[in-house]
Amino acid sequence: MSKVIIGETEYFKGISQIQFEGKESRNPLAFKYYDPNRIVSGKTMAEQFKFAVAYWHSFCNNGGDPFGVGTKLYPWNTSCDPIQNAKNKMDAAFEFLSKLGVNYFCFHDVDLIDEGSSLSETEYRLQAITDYGLEKMKGTDIKVLWGTANLFSNPRYMNGAATNPDFNTVAYAGAQVKNAIDATIKLGGENYVFWGGREGYMSLLNTNMKRELDNIAQFFHMAKDYARARGFKGDFLIEPKPAEPSKHQYDFDAATVTGFLREYNLFDDFKLNLEVNHATLANHTMAHEMQVAANAGLLGSMDANRGDYQNGWDTDQFPVDLYELTEMMLVFLDAGGFQGGGGINFDAKTRRNSTDLTDLFYAHIGGIDAFARSLIIADRIKSESDYDSLRSDRYSSFDSGIGLEFTDGKLSLSDLHKLAHQQGEPQQISGKQELYENIINQFI
Ligand code: XUL
Ligand code: CO
């Protein structure tokens, strides 16, 4: 990690670069498990994870909620001049990243700088802040994991962006995506994300779902063709979420998006950016979502966070649950890590009443350590326990003989019928779920 990067003002005073100090350390501003250079399962932890900070939560969000105004008076968000404010915010972001020892960030266009009162004004502002960002990145190892366009906050998108029934709005969204792709390419972004918060419907009564899906597929093709023509080599990532803000969102979950990509011939350029809290809202575990994606070779990237199991909305809390994370890391290691150039973006926010600047450090240190620890646990489970062999033994009847012939497609349904008559009632074989669960606990 390069040295600490401080702009005109130092925002996180009294905090130096966060170091790995090991699990005996009592320093709250140190990593206890995340040692970026430690090799786990053949790669350094830094390579396995590619951690990223979400610009919107950490540098823009002021803690406001539907019941009250913001509580977080960030000192970089105080200038009335939008360009100066965006520069201050970027100074704070670079200082935070370099002090945290995380190389990557993710952004929406309007996180970098506020939208102007016209498209031209917005484009001018984006040019200014990306010029500034490019200059700041020089000589550092700060990088962009992915960029995206916010196609859900502005009222113009109340009926959707690429799925809007009005063509003029679709065109406007196209302009915004072009600009966001340009900004991502300019800053060397490694991936480009689409999260369709308003791509769905509130009522099917006024919605032609088929037409909207055809339109968004067309839109994705245009975005992909444009970026490829400009030399972009990274993955496009669709981020599934079942609902919120729409009643029903088209990118419901990993399985739905996988089917969509196949149907519309987008499979070669697009992968998935899975988010833990979105999996929860879809009534899945994150491990399930990761497995579905990995099966299709689409495990692109991850938005790390957690939901709240007592309520049903997207609380975007930092991850802490080792059992849940270990189950995720078992799938992750089985897949060989991300199946593209993705990483782990903390799409998570400190609570509304966590108002100290240091809280941003505690939150990220905690999330990073929780991932590091669970990766170590999962790797030990796979190398020191019977976990892998128990799982493969469960399917051993397909590894040889007649079972292998079935796998290889050499049997017919009539063959199965004949075999069943010969062999009679199958034996009961225990699934041993509790044994597997105990192995995870033992290694935690
Ligand atoms: C919303 C969400 C977004 C996307 C990017 O639930 O996760 O922040 O990650 O638009
Ligand atoms: Co997200």
Side-chain angles (χ1 to χ4, degrees):
M1 185 71 206
S2 56
K3 55 181 182 7
V4 164
I5 306 163
I6 297 172
E8 242 165 61
T9 308
E10 182 171 9
Y11 291 108
F12 302 95
K13 287 205 183 70
I15 296 180
S16 43
Q17 206 165 47
I18 308 299
Q19 305 293 331
F20 168 69
E21 293 185 5
K23 66 178 178 163
E24 304 307 329
S25 167
R26 294 294 173 265
N27 175 4
L29 289 169
F31 294 117
K32 316 297 183 302
Y33 293 90
Y34 179 62
D35 175 358
N37 301 315
R38 173 169 170 182
I39 296 192
V40 181
S41 192
K43 291 184 209 160
T44 66
M45 283 192 176
E47 289 163 348
Q48 289 279 18
F49 287 134
K50 289 171 68 177
F51 286 120
V53 172
Y55 218 89
W56 53 103
H57 283 310
S58 291
F59 312 117
C60 307
N61 175 3
N62 65 8
D65 72 11
F67 303 94
V69 296
T71 53
K72 299 178 195 208
L73 310 166
Y74 289 145
W76 52 84
N77 270 339
T78 50
S79 172
C80 305
D81 170 5
I83 292 186
Q84 188 56 48
N85 201 70
K87 287 181 176 172
N88 296 345
K89 187 159 54 168
M90 192 165 273
D91 285 351
F94 275 63
E95 184 188 331
F96 181 73
L97 286 158
S98 63
K99 286 187 168 175
L100 183 65
V102 160
N103 293 351
Y104 287 94
F105 68 95
C106 299
F107 67 85
H108 300 86
D109 46 0
V110 300
D111 303 333
L112 296 183
I113 194 156
D114 290 344
E115 247 187 302
S117 53
S118 69
L119 189 54
S120 308
E121 170 67 12
T122 303
E123 285 173 354
Y124 171 79
R125 290 184 182 189
L126 262 179
Q127 284 296 345
I129 195 59
T130 48
D131 285 347
Y132 188 72
L134 203 53
E135 202 50 45
K136 277 195 81 86
M137 285 167 108
K138 279 192 189 141
T140 75
D141 46 18
I142 304 282
K143 292 176 262 206
V144 170
L145 185 64
W146 50 260
T148 188
N150 178 326
L151 301 176
F152 43 90
S153 296
N154 193 297
R156 79 172 73 88
Y157 298 123
M158 66 181 185
N159 292 308
T163 58
N164 200 294
D166 166 50
F167 173 67
N168 282 342
T169 312
V170 175
Y172 207 99
Q176 208 183 318
V177 166
K178 178 194 172 293
N179 292 336
I181 288 175
D182 287 344
T184 305
I185 293 176
K186 182 167 166 183
L187 297 177
E190 297 184 12
N191 303 275
Y192 186 85
V193 161
F194 289 96
W195 169 63
R198 307 249 179 225
E199 311 293 22
Y201 60 82
M202 303 308 280
S203 167
L204 203 48
L205 294 175
N206 65 3
T207 302
N208 183 336
M209 188 200 285
K210 171 83 171 77
R211 194 143 193 196
E212 294 196 359
L213 284 167
D214 288 349
N215 284 350
I216 196 170
Q218 188 80 270
F219 190 93
F220 286 150
H221 273 283
M222 292 164 100
K224 180 253 306 172
D225 291 344
Y226 174 76
R228 293 291 183 235
R230 290 218 44 211
F232 178 68
K233 299 264 185 302
D235 285 326
F236 297 88
L237 301 167
I238 295 189
E239 185 176 321
K241 185 176 182 183
E244 196 197 355
S246 302
K247 171 182 163 52
H248 177 98
Q249 278 159 217
Y250 293 136
D251 305 328
F252 191 95
D253 62 0
T256 309
V257 178
T258 303
F260 170 87
L261 293 176
R262 281 212 172 93
E263 183 178 349
Y264 288 101
N265 205 14
L266 290 159
F267 218 75
D268 293 339
D269 297 273
F270 283 71
K271 290 191 169 57
L272 302 178
N273 180 41
L274 299 173
E275 178 163 328
V276 184
N277 206 163
H278 298 179
T280 316
L281 296 178
N283 274 331
H284 297 309
T285 62
M286 182 63 170
H288 167 92
E289 287 293 85
M290 291 171 70
Q291 188 64 62
V292 169
N295 293 348
L298 297 180
L299 186 60
S301 203
M302 186 192 298
D303 272 8
N305 56 24
R306 78 177 199 274
D308 180 314
Y309 299 102
Q310 278 75 52
N311 66 29
W313 66 90
D314 201 7
T315 59
D316 284 345
Q317 290 165 255
F318 277 82
V320 291
D321 185 336
L322 279 182
Y323 205 102
E324 180 181 44
L325 286 161
T326 302
E327 289 185 278
M328 286 158 53
M329 288 302 105
L330 285 168
V331 179
F332 183 77
L333 289 177
D334 268 343
F338 289 119
Q339 298 163 320
I344 296 192
N345 167 48
F346 287 101
D347 193 353
K349 57 186 177 214
T350 53
R351 298 301 85 193
R352 183 172 193 269
N353 51 345
S354 297
T355 47
D356 290 343
L357 291 182
T358 339
D359 295 328
L360 274 180
F361 281 92
Y362 296 144
H364 285 87
I365 290 170
I368 289 171
D369 259 349
F371 266 88
R373 196 171 168 191
S374 53
L375 184 75
I376 296 166
I377 294 165
D379 183 50
R380 285 191 57 211
I381 289 173
K382 287 176 70 60
S383 55
E384 295 175 33
S385 81
D386 292 337
Y387 174 78
D388 274 345
S389 58
L390 279 168
R391 278 160 59 94
S392 54
D393 285 353
R394 226 179 148 215
Y395 297 88
S396 59
S397 60
F398 294 94
D399 290 343
S400 60
I402 198 84
L404 184 60
E405 283 181 38
F406 168 86
T407 303
D408 292 343
K410 292 182 181 154
L411 301 184
S412 66
L413 195 63
S414 306
D415 292 329
L416 299 188
H417 175 255
K418 200 165 116 199
L419 275 164
H421 271 292
Q422 281 166 7
Q423 288 167 353
E425 185 62 30
Q427 268 183 7
Q428 214 177 38
I429 305 173
S430 170
K432 297 202 178 307
Q433 180 178 328
E434 297 77 7
L435 174 61
Y436 289 82
E437 288 168 349
N438 292 355
I439 293 175
I440 296 197
N441 244 336
Q442 186 188 347
F443 282 84
I444 287 177

